[in-house]
Amino acid sequence: MEMLGMSAKMHDEARQGEAFAPVVSGGNQYQKKFYIESYGCQMNFSDSEIIASILHNNGFGATVIYQEADLVLLNTCSIREKAEQTVRKRLTEFRKLKGAKPGMLIGVLGCMAERLKAKLLEEEKLVDIVVGPDAYRSLPGLIGEAETGHKAVNVLLSREETYADISPVRLDSNGVTAFISIMRGCNNMCSFCVVPFTRGRERSRDAYSIIAEAKELFNSGYKEVTLLGQNVDSYYWIDEEKDEIITFAKLLEKVALVNDDLRVRFSTSHPKDITEDVLHTMNKYENICKHIHLPVQSGSTRILQLMNRTYTREWYKAKIDQIRNIIPECGISSDIIAGFCTEAEEDHKDTINIMEYSRYDMSYMFVYSERPGTLAAKRYKDDIGDDVKKKRLQEIVVLQGRLSQESNQRDIGKTFKVLIEGESKRSANDWMGRNTQNKVIVFPKHIPDSKKGDYVQVKVIDCTQATLLGEVI
Ligand code: 5AD
Ligand code: SF4
């Protein structure tokens, strides 16, 4: 089992198969209905909002009831084998439904579409449409083809596509926080990772379109944007009119300047790419949230080398030191893989040890899952047994539990500015929000006219491993 005892955050397979209707419902203006389920990373959820926009413009309205849909779409993830298995199961269920409703079309989008390509259409006969992450604009045409009984597939990757001009239809929105995709693809070639193959080369989106999207969101009442990319720190865009290079630090500043009341977050940072400039920019603007997701993957220099991460254990620790020196209050979280090829007990100890050193507030923790086509699959044997992988993951999870608990305990007595995101899932009498460090805080709705989207000062009086408990002051 992966991700044992995970704390509050959801990721990858943990966020699976969620279906959402758009914030602004389409009414009856649409002739046909589509249903979409998203799996995987935030990038995929953000892509589903682009897909919804393309479909809206082509006469399709969204529904959350798949039985009434003319088109059922699964936006899929390939990052670990388990993610793919989940989608396959789901496809079989939809296939059965299609037996009773032959006109219904089933489409697979995203990373699995890219990885498995026509195989999904031909061998398994599970689907009618297969569309890779860079080909969503061709979806309406492909639906047309599929309607005439042809199998439709487009998995071409692009060096340019950023969907910059498409205004996403916000799905599953709380109306307060939203994602903005700033770049696509990845050039890093970490040896375990399938993303460079499923999402293609890295490319950055036009900075003006990013800022325009942030402004539009703020003007519609949103109070927080998360700038998304596989590797945001390598954002690089040339403003040809002004002859200016826009780095990630500059982009961050420009988005922060949209409005003081618009919080800005970003994810994900590769430790090798996050610059001092970014850290200083974070410090300069109160509304840039003091949280960095800085995946370490492993604490062993030898394993890091096999993973092609391009940093050593010492280098990573120095990065943590630098962050803590420049932004003392910064929240730091991580991704960790247990049981990568050849990992010895000694390497695992190094991971345990670097977690202690980094004092992560939160981590996403996984066992290594070999992905066909990756460098690791080609070069190294997946030689750590399942039981050893699980045992090591369990140790990592237990340690993270303690680190999260300790981190939360250090916050008791402190007061934070919290953005109210909505009602607490557990009680209608409580609000749920986050502080700048990205920690979830739950507190009673005391103030009579407090509402979603408000900033309030909350004093922490207690905590669990996953949540701070507070009261409004
Ligand atoms: N096996 C296990 N975990 C993986 N990740 C990426 N590829 C794999 C894999 N093959 C994890 C990494 C990455 C996160 C998104 O998923 O930790 O940062
Ligand atoms: Fe999964 Fe990676 Fe694709 Fe996101 S980019 S959906 S995590 S394989």
Side-chain angles (χ1 to χ4, degrees):
M1 197 179 93
E2 296 183 51
M3 298 170 63
L4 295 158
M6 283 263 315
S7 63
K9 309 294 162 51
M10 295 181 298
H11 201 243
D12 300 310
E13 300 97 303
R15 261 200 105 169
Q16 50 182 235
E18 292 180 50
F20 303 115
V23 184
V24 186
S25 158
N28 291 329
Q29 75 204 74
Y30 302 107
Q31 297 133 9
K32 293 196 171 165
K33 289 192 174 137
F34 76 94
Y35 166 90
I36 189 163
E37 259 177 30
S38 304
Y39 295 76
C41 62
Q42 290 168 342
M43 194 58 133
N44 243 21
F45 282 72
S46 166
D47 277 4
S48 289
E49 301 187 328
I50 289 167
I51 293 158
S53 174
I54 293 171
L55 290 174
H56 267 201
N57 293 336
N58 285 275
F60 281 85
T63 174
V64 283
I65 306 162
Y66 64 77
Q67 289 90 343
E68 67 172 38
D70 303 284
L71 175 65
V72 169
L73 299 172
L74 272 79
N75 194 2
T76 63
C77 173
S78 290
I79 197 110
R80 279 169 291 277
E81 199 184 344
K82 208 175 129 208
E84 290 198 351
Q85 283 164 356
T86 310
V87 167
R88 275 175 194 280
K89 259 197 229 139
R90 196 70 178 134
L91 274 176
T92 317
E93 285 167 28
F94 285 130
R95 193 74 219 172
K96 278 192 204 132
L97 179 71
K98 196 176 153 108
K101 198 181 168 193
M104 188 184 90
L105 295 176
I106 302 176
V108 170
L109 317 177
C111 291
M112 254 176 101
E114 195 60 48
R115 200 179 81 72
L116 299 167
K117 304 192 166 78
K119 193 170 167 239
L120 284 165
L121 293 172
E122 289 155 13
E123 287 169 32
E124 309 180 26
K125 305 211 184 320
L126 283 174
V127 300
D128 307 292
I129 303 169
V130 175
V131 192
D134 285 345
Y136 297 142
R137 285 181 205 267
S138 66
L139 195 50
L142 294 170
I143 296 166
E145 262 180 56
E147 278 169 344
T148 61
H150 295 99
K151 297 286 177 190
V153 51
N154 186 352
V155 288
L156 286 177
L157 287 173
S158 156
R159 281 179 180 257
E160 285 94 34
E161 181 63 274
T162 59
Y163 301 109
D165 55 313
I166 294 181
S167 181
V169 171
R170 303 290 160 186
L171 302 166
D172 176 37
S173 179
N174 54 15
V176 179
T177 61
F179 295 120
I180 302 182
S181 161
I182 65 160
M183 62 195 302
R184 300 181 70 82
C186 184
N187 285 356
N188 278 333
M189 292 312 233
C190 298
S191 66
F192 51 79
C193 190
V194 77
V195 172
F197 305 97
T198 59
R199 290 192 162 263
R201 306 290 290 173
E202 186 178 290
R203 67 222 91 121
S204 297
R205 176 178 167 189
D206 177 328
Y208 288 110
S209 76
I210 296 169
I211 295 154
E213 195 173 322
K215 282 186 182 155
E216 199 183 300
L217 284 165
F218 185 74
N219 291 336
S220 347
Y222 285 81
K223 293 289 178 59
E224 182 183 296
V225 294
T226 302
L227 307 181
L228 276 188
Q230 247 74 37
N231 187 15
V232 289
D233 298 279
S234 64
Y235 179 88
Y236 183 91
W237 190 77
I238 298 169
D239 183 345
E240 275 162 9
E241 264 170 46
K242 292 193 184 151
D243 198 21
E244 186 189 357
I245 290 171
I246 315 281
T247 59
F248 181 61
K250 278 206 182 137
L251 179 74
L252 204 49
E253 177 161 52
K254 284 178 192 288
V255 180
L257 287 168
V258 166
N259 196 292
D260 290 348
D261 272 342
L262 182 70
R263 273 186 170 179
V264 189
R265 300 189 183 276
F266 56 89
S267 187
T268 294
S269 294
H270 192 301
K272 78 174 162 55
D273 293 316
I274 186 163
T275 60
E276 219 179 304
D277 232 11
V278 167
L279 302 180
H280 288 302
T281 307
M282 287 174 76
N283 252 353
K284 193 167 156 198
Y285 296 93
E286 189 270 339
N287 58 329
I288 303 182
C289 290
K290 308 297 180 276
H291 169 238
I292 300 174
H293 186 58
L294 198 75
V296 67
Q297 312 296 2
S298 166
S300 150
T301 295
R302 189 182 68 83
I303 296 292
L304 287 168
Q305 206 162 17
L306 295 182
M307 287 177 162
N308 204 18
R309 290 290 288 176
T310 73
Y311 52 83
T312 62
R313 163 188 181 77
E314 285 68 34
W315 195 93
Y316 184 92
K317 284 164 79 177
K319 197 50 124 186
I320 294 283
D321 294 345
Q322 186 188 47
I323 294 170
R324 299 228 185 265
N325 281 334
I326 297 177
I327 317 172
E329 79 274 29
C330 199
I332 304 180
S333 55
S334 191
D335 290 349
I336 299 163
I337 298 178
F340 187 68
C341 315
T342 80
E343 187 186 75
E345 206 50 40
E346 203 185 313
D347 300 308
H348 170 63
K349 293 250 158 60
D350 281 349
T351 298
I352 293 286
N353 186 279
I354 211 161
M355 288 175 71
E356 295 261 15
Y357 186 88
S358 308
R359 284 185 276 122
Y360 299 125
D361 301 301
M362 198 275 298
S363 291
Y364 299 110
M365 300 155 281
F366 315 100
V367 292
Y368 173 59
S369 161
E370 187 178 82
R371 306 312 292 132
T374 56
L375 290 182
K378 285 184 198 149
R379 286 187 193 157
Y380 317 119
K381 195 161 164 248
D382 181 12
D383 59 351
I384 308 302
D386 273 354
D387 41 348
V388 175
K389 280 183 182 170
K390 278 183 198 159
K391 184 179 137 281
R392 289 182 187 161
L393 178 65
Q394 183 62 32
E395 275 175 44
I396 288 168
V397 168
V398 169
L399 171 57
Q400 185 55 56
R402 172 163 70 74
L403 294 176
S404 299
Q405 180 76 36
E406 286 170 4
S407 165
N408 283 352
Q409 227 125 28
R410 284 193 292 273
D411 287 340
I412 292 178
K414 289 186 195 163
T415 297
F416 295 105
K417 180 177 170 181
V418 173
L419 173 61
I420 303 179
E421 288 181 23
E423 217 162 67
S424 157
K425 276 192 197 126
R426 298 238 175 99
S427 156
N429 299 322
D430 292 339
W431 286 128
M432 169 274 179
R434 278 170 214 271
N435 66 7
T436 186
Q437 287 83 3
N438 207 33
K439 284 190 183 175
V440 172
I441 307 193
V442 171
F443 53 96
K445 286 181 176 173
H446 280 341
I447 313 174
D449 56 354
S450 62
K451 57 184 185 313
K452 236 168 59 164
D454 283 354
Y455 289 104
V456 281
Q457 293 290 330
V458 182
K459 184 172 178 183
V460 178
I461 51 171
D462 200 359
C463 71
T464 68
Q465 206 172 291
T467 316
L468 299 175
L469 306 168
E471 59 185 21
V472 179
I473 56 164

Coordinates of all heavy atoms in Angstrom, one line a residue, residues 125-167:
K125 N -9.9 -2.1 -26.4 CA -11.3 -1.7 -26.8 C -12.1 -1.1 -25.7 O -13.3 -1.3 -25.6 CB -12.0 -2.9 -27.4 CG -11.2 -3.5 -28.6 CD -12.2 -4.1 -29.6 CE -11.5 -4.9 -30.7 NZ -10.3 -4.3 -31.2
L126 N -11.4 -0.4 -24.8 CA -12.1 0.2 -23.7 C -12.6 1.6 -24.0 O -13.5 2.1 -23.4 CB -11.2 0.3 -22.5 CG -10.9 -1.0 -21.7 CD1 -9.9 -0.8 -20.7 CD2 -12.2 -1.5 -21.1
V127 N -12.0 2.2 -25.0 CA -12.4 3.7 -25.2 C -12.5 4.0 -26.7 O -12.1 3.3 -27.6 CB -11.2 4.6 -24.6 CG1 -11.1 4.3 -23.1 CG2 -9.9 4.4 -25.3
D128 N -13.2 5.2 -26.9 CA -13.4 5.7 -28.2 C -12.5 6.8 -28.6 O -12.2 7.0 -29.8 CB -14.8 6.3 -28.3 CG -15.9 5.2 -27.8 OD1 -16.0 4.2 -28.4 OD2 -16.4 5.5 -26.7
I129 N -12.0 7.6 -27.6 CA -11.2 8.7 -27.9 C -9.9 8.7 -27.0 O -10.1 8.4 -25.8 CB -12.0 10.0 -27.6 CG1 -13.3 10.0 -28.4 CG2 -11.2 11.3 -27.9 CD1 -14.2 11.1 -28.1
V130 N -8.8 9.0 -27.5 CA -7.5 9.1 -26.7 C -6.8 10.4 -27.0 O -6.5 10.7 -28.2 CB -6.6 7.9 -27.0 CG1 -5.3 8.0 -26.3 CG2 -7.3 6.6 -26.7
V131 N -6.6 11.2 -26.0 CA -6.0 12.6 -26.3 C -5.0 12.9 -25.3 O -5.2 12.9 -24.0 CB -7.1 13.7 -26.2 CG1 -6.5 15.0 -26.8 CG2 -8.3 13.3 -27.0
G132 N -3.8 13.1 -25.7 CA -2.6 13.5 -24.9 C -2.7 14.9 -24.4 O -3.5 15.7 -24.9
P133 N -1.8 15.3 -23.4 CA -1.9 16.5 -22.7 C -1.7 17.8 -23.6 O -2.1 18.9 -23.2 CB -0.8 16.5 -21.7 CG -0.5 15.0 -21.5 CD -0.8 14.4 -22.8
D134 N -1.1 17.6 -24.8 CA -0.9 18.8 -25.6 C -1.9 18.9 -26.8 O -1.8 19.7 -27.6 CB 0.5 18.8 -26.2 CG 1.6 19.1 -25.2 OD1 1.2 19.7 -24.1 OD2 2.8 18.9 -25.4
A135 N -2.9 18.0 -26.8 CA -3.8 17.9 -27.9 C -5.2 18.2 -27.6 O -6.1 17.9 -28.4 CB -3.6 16.5 -28.6
Y136 N -5.5 18.9 -26.5 CA -6.9 19.1 -26.1 C -7.6 20.0 -27.0 O -8.9 19.9 -27.1 CB -6.9 19.7 -24.7 CG -6.4 18.7 -23.6 CD1 -5.6 19.1 -22.5 CD2 -6.6 17.3 -23.8 CE1 -5.1 18.2 -21.6 CE2 -6.1 16.4 -22.9 CZ -5.3 16.9 -21.8 OH -4.8 16.0 -20.9
R137 N -6.9 20.9 -27.8 CA -7.7 21.7 -28.7 C -8.3 20.9 -29.8 O -9.3 21.3 -30.4 CB -6.7 22.7 -29.4 CG -6.3 23.9 -28.5 CD -5.4 24.8 -29.3 NE -4.5 25.5 -28.4 CZ -4.8 26.8 -28.0 NH1 -6.0 27.3 -28.3 NH2 -4.0 27.4 -27.2
S138 N -7.8 19.7 -30.1 CA -8.4 18.8 -31.1 C -9.5 18.0 -30.6 O -10.1 17.2 -31.4 CB -7.3 18.0 -31.8 OG -6.8 17.0 -30.8
L139 N -9.9 18.1 -29.4 CA -10.9 17.3 -28.8 C -12.2 17.4 -29.5 O -12.8 16.4 -29.9 CB -11.1 17.6 -27.3 CG -11.8 16.6 -26.4 CD1 -11.4 15.2 -26.6 CD2 -11.7 17.1 -24.9
P140 N -12.8 18.6 -29.8 CA -14.0 18.7 -30.5 C -14.0 17.9 -31.9 O -15.0 17.2 -32.2 CB -14.2 20.2 -30.8 CG -13.4 20.8 -29.7 CD -12.3 19.9 -29.4
G141 N -12.9 18.1 -32.6 CA -12.8 17.4 -33.9 C -12.8 15.8 -33.7 O -13.4 15.1 -34.5
L142 N -12.1 15.4 -32.7 CA -12.0 14.0 -32.4 C -13.4 13.4 -31.9 O -13.7 12.3 -32.3 CB -11.0 13.7 -31.3 CG -9.5 14.0 -31.8 CD1 -8.6 14.0 -30.6 CD2 -9.0 13.1 -32.8
I143 N -14.1 14.2 -31.2 CA -15.5 13.8 -30.8 C -16.3 13.5 -32.1 O -17.0 12.5 -32.2 CB -16.1 14.8 -29.9 CG1 -15.4 14.9 -28.5 CG2 -17.6 14.4 -29.6 CD1 -15.7 16.1 -27.7
G144 N -16.2 14.5 -33.0 CA -16.9 14.4 -34.3 C -16.5 13.1 -35.0 O -17.4 12.4 -35.5
E145 N -15.3 12.8 -35.0 CA -14.8 11.5 -35.7 C -15.4 10.3 -35.0 O -15.9 9.4 -35.6 CB -13.3 11.4 -35.6 CG -12.6 11.9 -36.8 CD -11.1 11.8 -36.6 OE1 -10.6 10.6 -36.3 OE2 -10.4 12.8 -36.7
A146 N -15.3 10.3 -33.6 CA -15.8 9.2 -32.9 C -17.3 9.0 -33.0 O -17.8 7.9 -33.0 CB -15.4 9.4 -31.4
E147 N -18.0 10.1 -33.2 CA -19.5 10.0 -33.4 C -19.8 9.3 -34.7 O -20.9 8.7 -34.8 CB -20.1 11.4 -33.4 CG -20.3 11.9 -32.0 CD -20.7 13.4 -31.9 OE1 -20.5 14.1 -32.9 OE2 -21.2 13.9 -30.9
T148 N -18.9 9.3 -35.6 CA -19.2 8.6 -36.9 C -18.6 7.2 -36.8 O -18.5 6.5 -37.9 CB -18.6 9.4 -38.1 OG1 -17.2 9.4 -37.9 CG2 -19.1 10.7 -38.3
G149 N -18.3 6.8 -35.6 CA -17.9 5.4 -35.5 C -16.4 5.1 -35.6 O -15.9 4.0 -35.5
H150 N -15.6 6.2 -35.9 CA -14.1 6.0 -36.0 C -13.5 6.2 -34.7 O -13.9 7.0 -33.9 CB -13.6 7.1 -37.0 CG -14.1 6.9 -38.4 ND1 -15.1 7.6 -38.9 CD2 -13.8 6.0 -39.4 CE1 -15.4 7.2 -40.1 NE2 -14.6 6.2 -40.4
K151 N -12.4 5.4 -34.5 CA -11.6 5.6 -33.3 C -10.8 6.9 -33.5 O -10.2 7.1 -34.5 CB -10.7 4.4 -33.1 CG -11.5 3.1 -32.9 CD -12.1 3.0 -31.5 CE -12.9 1.8 -31.3 NZ -13.7 1.8 -30.1
A152 N -10.7 7.7 -32.4 CA -10.1 9.0 -32.6 C -8.9 9.1 -31.6 O -9.1 8.9 -30.4 CB -11.1 10.1 -32.4
V153 N -7.8 9.5 -32.1 CA -6.6 9.6 -31.3 C -5.7 10.8 -31.7 O -5.5 11.0 -32.9 CB -5.8 8.3 -31.2 CG1 -5.5 7.7 -32.5 CG2 -4.5 8.4 -30.4
N154 N -5.3 11.5 -30.7 CA -4.2 12.5 -30.9 C -3.3 12.6 -29.7 O -3.8 13.1 -28.7 CB -4.8 13.9 -31.3 CG -3.7 14.9 -31.6 OD1 -2.5 14.6 -31.5 ND2 -4.2 16.1 -32.1
V155 N -2.1 12.1 -29.8 CA -1.2 12.1 -28.7 C 0.1 12.9 -29.1 O 1.1 12.7 -28.5 CB -0.9 10.7 -28.2 CG1 -2.1 10.1 -27.5 CG2 -0.4 9.8 -29.3
L156 N -0.1 13.8 -30.0 CA 1.1 14.6 -30.4 C 1.5 15.5 -29.3 O 0.7 16.2 -28.7 CB 0.8 15.4 -31.7 CG 0.7 14.7 -33.0 CD1 0.3 15.7 -34.1 CD2 2.1 14.0 -33.3
L157 N 2.8 15.5 -29.0 CA 3.3 16.4 -28.0 C 3.8 17.7 -28.7 O 4.1 17.6 -29.9 CB 4.4 15.8 -27.2 CG 4.0 14.8 -26.1 CD1 5.2 14.1 -25.5 CD2 3.1 15.4 -25.1
S158 N 3.8 18.8 -28.0 CA 4.1 20.0 -28.7 C 5.3 20.7 -28.0 O 5.5 20.5 -26.8 CB 2.9 20.9 -28.7 OG 3.2 22.3 -28.8
R159 N 6.0 21.6 -28.7 CA 7.0 22.4 -28.0 C 6.5 23.7 -27.6 O 7.2 24.5 -26.9 CB 8.3 22.5 -28.9 CG 9.1 21.3 -28.8 CD 10.3 21.4 -29.7 NE 11.1 20.2 -29.6 CZ 12.2 20.0 -28.9 NH1 12.7 21.0 -28.2 NH2 12.8 18.8 -28.9
E160 N 5.3 24.1 -28.1 CA 4.8 25.4 -27.9 C 3.5 25.5 -27.1 O 3.3 26.5 -26.4 CB 4.5 26.1 -29.3 CG 5.7 26.5 -30.0 CD 6.1 25.5 -31.0 OE1 5.3 24.8 -31.6 OE2 7.4 25.3 -31.2
E161 N 2.7 24.5 -27.2 CA 1.3 24.6 -26.6 C 1.4 24.9 -25.1 O 2.0 24.2 -24.3 CB 0.6 23.2 -26.8 CG -0.8 23.3 -26.3 CD -1.7 24.3 -27.0 OE1 -1.7 25.4 -26.5 OE2 -2.4 23.9 -27.9
T162 N 0.7 26.0 -24.7 CA 0.6 26.3 -23.3 C -0.9 26.7 -23.0 O -1.2 27.0 -21.8 CB 1.5 27.6 -22.9 OG1 1.1 28.7 -23.7 CG2 2.9 27.3 -23.1
Y163 N -1.8 26.6 -24.0 CA -3.2 27.0 -23.8 C -3.3 28.4 -23.2 O -4.3 28.6 -22.4 CB -3.9 25.9 -22.9 CG -3.8 24.5 -23.4 CD1 -3.0 23.5 -22.8 CD2 -4.5 24.1 -24.5 CE1 -2.9 22.2 -23.3 CE2 -4.5 22.8 -25.0 CZ -3.7 21.9 -24.4 OH -3.6 20.6 -24.8
A164 N -2.4 29.2 -23.5 CA -2.3 30.6 -22.9 C -3.6 31.4 -23.1 O -4.0 32.1 -22.2 CB -1.1 31.3 -23.5
D165 N -4.2 31.2 -24.3 CA -5.4 32.0 -24.6 C -6.7 31.5 -24.1 O -7.7 32.1 -24.2 CB -5.5 32.2 -26.1 CG -5.5 30.8 -26.8 OD1 -4.7 30.0 -26.4 OD2 -6.4 30.6 -27.6
I166 N -6.6 30.3 -23.5 CA -7.9 29.6 -23.1 C -8.2 30.0 -21.6 O -7.3 29.8 -20.7 CB -7.8 28.1 -23.2 CG1 -7.7 27.8 -24.7 CG2 -9.0 27.4 -22.6 CD1 -7.7 26.4 -25.1
S167 N -9.4 30.5 -21.4 CA -9.7 30.9 -20.1 C -10.4 29.7 -19.4 O -11.5 29.4 -19.7 CB -10.7 32.1 -20.2 OG -11.1 32.5 -18.9

